[in-house]
């Protein structure tokens, strides 16, 4: 086994598309990526202007991702 401690298996995670308002450029993509990467239970798959594809280990992780993006100055919603 790799590593120590609890790890969420990829199979237990749901892939979620987030629609994100307020993104305009590559700098926004970097800020959104950083904000999402910091959320426990969320794995960033892709980020582009206006959207992100993430794997989340439950509804609370999705809500935390949306809240983190709000703190970063973006309006997001799960699709």
């Amino acid at each position: 086994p790799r590593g120590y401690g609890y790890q969420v298996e990829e199979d237990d995670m749901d892939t979620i598309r987030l629609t994100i308002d307020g993104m305009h450029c590559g700098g926004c993509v970097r800020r959104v990526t950083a904000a999402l990467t910091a959320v426990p239970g969320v794995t960033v798959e892709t980020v582009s202007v206006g959207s992100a594809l993430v794997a989340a280990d439950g509804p609370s992780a999705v809500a935390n991702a949306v809240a983190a993006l709000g703190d970063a100055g973006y309006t997001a919603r799960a699709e």
Side-chain angles (χ1 to χ4, degrees):
R2 290 186 324 194
Y4 297 95
Y6 179 75
Q7 292 181 337
V8 175
E9 294 293 326
E10 289 279 330
D11 294 343
D12 294 340
M13 299 181 83
D14 295 320
T15 300
I16 306 293
R17 177 169 304 280
L18 299 172
T19 299
I20 307 165
D21 298 325
M23 294 179 72
H24 305 287
C25 63
C28 293
V29 171
R30 286 188 296 277
R31 284 189 288 281
V32 164
T33 300
L36 291 173
T37 300
V39 178
V42 172
T43 302
V44 178
E45 294 184 7
T46 62
V47 177
S48 58
V49 173
S51 68
L53 193 63
V54 301
D57 69 358
S60 64
V62 175
N64 290 341
V66 170
L69 292 174
D71 291 346
Y74 302 96
T75 302
R77 62 193 173 281
E79 298 295 324

